[in-house]
Amino acid sequence: MKRSHYSIQLSPEMDGQRVTVAGWVYELRDFGGIKFIILRDKYGYIQVVIPKKKVSQETLNCFSKLTKESVISVTGTVQKSEKAKNGWEILPEKIEILSLAETPLPMDVSGKIESEMDTRLDNRVLDLRQDKVRAVFMLRSLFVKGLREAMYERDFVEVHTPKIAAAGAEGGASLFPVQYFDQWAFLTQSPQLYKQMLMASTLDRVFEIGPAFRAEPSDTSRHLSEFTSFDYEMAYITDYNDVMDTLEGIILDTLEFVKKEGKPWLEILERDIEIPKSPFPRLTFEEVKSILEEEGRKVGNDLGTEDEKALGRIMAEKGYIAYFIKDYPEEGKPFYIMENDEKPGYSFAFDLDYYGEELASGGQREHRYDRLVERMKKKGLNSNNFEFYLRAFKYGMPPHGGIGLGLERFVMKALGLKNIRDAVIFPRDQWRLVP
Ligand code: AMO
């Protein structure tokens, strides 16, 4: 390997030890008799000291060729140094240039000059060399790990469902058609149909972390055309409270995990993870409606972005950053949600709102075949198009429920990012198909 140690693995106590470090040239400082290369790797910075009299001519020639952001590998000895920021520096024996960077760079990567979002996204790999940008994605990786561990702990089985599908579950307007040999198919909007079908399979509890596609022309700071959906579905529930209890536990465990494991990255972002007050309040839609109407807001069958924000402010004043909204009118909810027969017109659907924005939605599903077909008709859907799905409900389907949560929204809100594009490396929206 071109590297024996990352910056994080070196210390003043290693004085005299021979190591090989590698990374990108962050800064070149030339004071004549002494020169410095500041090297950046995944975990931090490395000072390479080049005293003219103590290094080879080859090393000096190499230094003069270097440009910022070039890639080098340096073999040398660790030297304890009070003056160096880390308390140690590297005295090189050999510098190998692995890739020379062109000049000028298309954007500043020192974090000193802020670039436009488009410039940053066009040059995303360079953008990621900025500490704060890299920190977000190191943390995002921990969110995924935290979610996954929370699911394994709860005996969920990780599954992967098809992303090319014959039918969509979340409404026709946001479907992306794809040519599939001699027929039309769609990119999946969510794993909804498949995770439900699996409830009839004895796997009982499944989860998936995978891509979901929505042809949403809305140009907002919280919508993407391709996002990462965290979904689970669980069988043999008594009612939707089992699903909410599970979600609350998963959210708390994941945030605790990221708070603990992500400390160095959170320090770079100058942000801490706030652990939401538990138990999360479970407000009914009607309660939310009257709270908002008291504020002079008119609410229809569902909550709009501004309603969510207003409620977020009210709940924050009471000390809650996470809360459920349950018992939505069935009219605004998809066919797969179970209606509440005791409260006609309402359903067993809920949302989890986090910092005044919808983070997840879910509910108890309609598992009774006839009622499900009825609901499809009510929603204007042709049940023949869902024959493959309905078949799973004919031969023993337990009562079940689940949720879908947008990973980017979770990361964005937990880390206080302004735009969802800051929480995905290569975002897809109406205007962006590359890189
Ligand atoms: P829903 O459509 O509410 O529900 O989506 C679930 C969660 O996914 C995220 N999300 C998005 N994130 C970024 N960009 C988008 N365009 C986008 N659309 C949705 C949100 C949202 O709360 N099948 C149901 C879930 C279920 O009942 O299990 C569904 O997809 O965070």
Side-chain angles (χ1 to χ4, degrees):
M1 290 293 292
K2 302 278 185 196
R3 166 191 289 130
S4 64
H5 292 78
Y6 277 111
S7 54
I8 202 174
Q9 296 167 311
L10 300 176
S11 65
E13 291 69 50
M14 292 167 80
D15 187 60
Q17 198 170 316
R18 193 164 181 268
V19 294
T20 302
V21 293
W24 288 262
V25 173
Y26 171 63
E27 254 178 41
L28 293 162
R29 294 177 196 152
D30 192 346
F31 301 106
I34 189 161
K35 304 173 203 301
F36 295 96
I37 303 172
I38 311 294
L39 206 58
R40 180 200 313 104
D41 71 11
K42 186 175 173 183
Y43 295 105
Y45 294 85
I46 297 164
Q47 177 163 300
V48 180
V49 59
I50 308 176
K52 211 171 163 183
K53 289 189 185 145
K54 285 199 194 165
V55 298
S56 66
Q57 189 55 42
E58 206 183 322
T59 297
L60 293 172
N61 293 347
C62 197
F63 180 89
S64 62
K65 275 191 234 154
L66 283 179
T67 53
K68 275 193 186 178
E69 298 305 322
S70 290
V71 179
I72 60 172
S73 171
V74 181
T75 301
T77 38
V78 179
Q79 287 195 151
K80 202 172 161 179
S81 159
E82 306 238 303
K83 281 193 207 140
K85 216 172 170 189
N86 292 331
W88 54 265
E89 58 192 6
I90 305 286
L91 180 68
E93 239 170 65
K94 188 183 156 209
I95 299 180
E96 190 183 354
I97 301 180
L98 302 174
S99 165
L100 217 45
E102 276 185 29
T103 54
L105 295 167
M107 63 174 283
D108 175 72
V109 296
S110 67
K112 288 173 196 149
I113 306 165
E114 214 174 299
S115 303
E116 294 283 329
M117 177 66 91
D118 270 333
T119 310
R120 292 180 44 209
L121 294 180
D122 287 343
N123 300 284
R124 192 54 145 171
V125 293
L126 275 176
D127 186 40
L128 276 155
R129 293 186 201 170
Q130 304 197 60
D131 296 342
K132 288 198 171 181
V133 179
R134 186 166 65 261
V136 168
F137 293 102
M138 293 301 287
L139 288 161
R140 177 180 155 132
S141 171
L142 289 176
F143 273 90
V144 175
K145 191 174 176 194
L147 284 169
R148 191 166 265 135
E149 287 191 358
M151 299 317 280
Y152 281 100
E153 258 167 41
R154 288 169 175 78
D155 201 22
F156 278 78
V157 178
E158 184 161 10
V159 295
H160 297 93
T161 60
K163 301 303 154 208
I164 304 176
E170 320 295 347
S174 64
L175 281 168
F176 277 117
V178 283
Q179 179 84 52
Y180 190 68
F181 303 105
D182 58 356
Q183 58 177 317
W184 285 102
F186 304 103
L187 295 179
T188 43
Q189 299 160 305
S190 78
Q192 186 64 38
L193 304 179
Y194 290 96
K195 62 177 180 170
Q196 277 195 264
M197 287 163 70
L198 288 173
M199 293 302 97
S201 74
T202 70
L203 290 183
D204 256 32
R205 295 179 153 217
V206 301
F207 81 100
E208 178 165 11
I209 304 174
F213 306 89
R214 306 272 171 110
E216 308 216 51
S218 51
D219 198 3
T220 75
S221 59
R222 56 185 219 145
H223 287 95
L224 296 162
S225 309
E226 177 176 347
F227 68 98
T228 306
S229 193
F230 164 74
D231 280 81
Y232 68 77
E233 203 66 26
M234 49 199 279
Y236 297 100
I237 59 168
T238 303
D239 60 33
Y240 61 174
N241 284 304
D242 292 330
V243 186
M244 283 188 265
D245 292 344
T246 305
L247 182 55
E248 181 165 335
I250 292 164
I251 296 286
L252 291 171
D253 286 0
T254 304
L255 289 172
E256 293 279 10
F257 177 84
V258 177
K259 189 181 171 80
K260 186 163 160 258
E261 301 292 320
K263 253 198 181 98
W265 305 110
L266 289 165
E267 271 167 26
I268 289 173
L269 287 182
E270 297 167 59
R271 169 108 191 165
D272 195 13
I273 298 274
E274 193 180 348
I275 304 298
K277 194 151 97 182
S278 169
F280 301 173
R282 294 178 189 182
L283 309 165
T284 66
F285 178 76
E286 288 304 321
E287 279 167 347
V288 168
K289 207 168 155 177
S290 55
I291 292 173
L292 291 173
E293 279 170 359
E294 265 174 42
E295 299 275 305
R297 304 196 68 84
K298 227 169 156 33
V299 179
N301 265 339
D302 206 347
L303 299 179
T305 311
E306 291 309 313
D307 299 325
E308 286 174 6
K309 280 190 186 153
L311 182 65
R313 284 192 291 272
I314 295 164
M315 294 305 285
E317 276 167 23
K318 295 182 181 163
Y320 293 106
I321 55 167
Y323 42 90
F324 289 101
I325 305 166
K326 58 178 191 174
D327 301 354
Y328 274 90
E330 67 80 17
E331 207 185 319
K333 291 292 161 189
F335 68 86
Y336 50 79
I337 287 288
M338 186 183 268
E339 291 181 20
N340 184 345
D341 289 338
E342 283 168 19
K343 227 168 124 186
Y346 291 88
S347 70
F348 291 117
F350 64 79
D351 280 351
L352 173 68
D353 277 27
Y354 181 50
Y355 288 110
E357 202 162 286
E358 180 199 308
L359 173 64
S361 53
Q364 175 159 10
R365 322 301 189 181
E366 183 51 77
H367 67 283
R368 299 161 295 185
Y369 181 86
D370 295 339
R371 292 289 298 266
L372 186 56
V373 174
E374 224 177 85
R375 250 188 94 65
M376 281 184 169
K377 281 202 190 105
K378 198 168 173 178
K379 299 280 165 190
L381 295 168
N382 181 351
S383 57
N384 292 333
N385 296 339
F386 293 88
E387 199 276 328
F388 71 97
Y389 163 76
L390 287 169
R391 187 188 289 234
F393 291 74
K394 279 188 185 171
Y395 312 106
M397 172 61 93
H400 62 276
I403 66 103
L405 174 153
L407 177 68
E408 290 81 9
R409 286 209 192 155
F410 195 17
V411 173
M412 168 172 85
K413 287 288 166 185
L415 301 183
L417 308 174
K418 297 266 172 342
N419 194 318
I420 198 162
R421 290 161 189 78
D422 279 319
V424 50
I425 294 188
F426 297 118
R428 287 289 173 268
D429 61 29
Q430 195 184 350
W431 314 110
R432 191 168 278 280
L433 194 53
V434 292

